[in-house]
Amino acid sequence: MRIRRNDSGPGPHLEWRVRLLGGGAILALAGIWADLPWLINGAIAMLLIGFALRFIGGDGDEAPDADEDGPWDGGHHRGT
C-alpha cells in the first residue's frame, strides 16, 4: 500500500470512486428520509468501499510501452 502525497493526477479507480460516492449519498438520503437504519448502514458501507479504493492497486508508476503509438518517442517528437 502506498499513499500518494505529491501526485497531481486523479489517482486510480476515479470513476468507481465517484460512482460509489454518488450511490452512497443517494442511499443515505433515502435512508434518512424513510427512517431505515439498514439503508443508512448500506450507504455507509458503500462510502467506505469507495474510500478504500483510494489505497488499493493501480499506482500509475508504470512506464509506457515502447511499442505504443504516441506523439513522443524517447523525448523526441516523431513529426520532426
Side-chain angles (χ1 to χ4, degrees), residues 13-28 42-54:
H13 312 295
L14 177 63
E15 186 176 336
W16 278 104
R17 288 176 9 212
V18 170
R19 287 178 183 174
L20 288 170
L21 173 65
I26 291 170
L27 282 181
I44 291 171
M46 194 177 232
L47 293 171
L48 288 174
I49 291 170
F51 178 71
L53 282 179
R54 184 195 187 296

Side-chain angles (χ1 to χ4, degrees), residues 43-77:
I44 291 171
M46 194 177 232
L47 293 171
L48 288 174
I49 291 170
F51 178 71
L53 282 179
R54 184 195 187 296
F55 300 104
I56 60 172
D59 54 8
D61 288 341
E62 298 89 17
D65 293 337
D67 296 335
E68 184 177 300
D69 291 332
W72 296 94
D73 184 24
H76 300 289
H77 194 285

Side-chain angles (χ1 to χ4, degrees), residues 26-44:
I26 291 170
L27 282 181
L29 290 174
I32 292 169
W33 178 76
D35 196 24
L36 297 172
W38 63 268
L39 194 57
I40 297 170
N41 290 335
I44 291 171

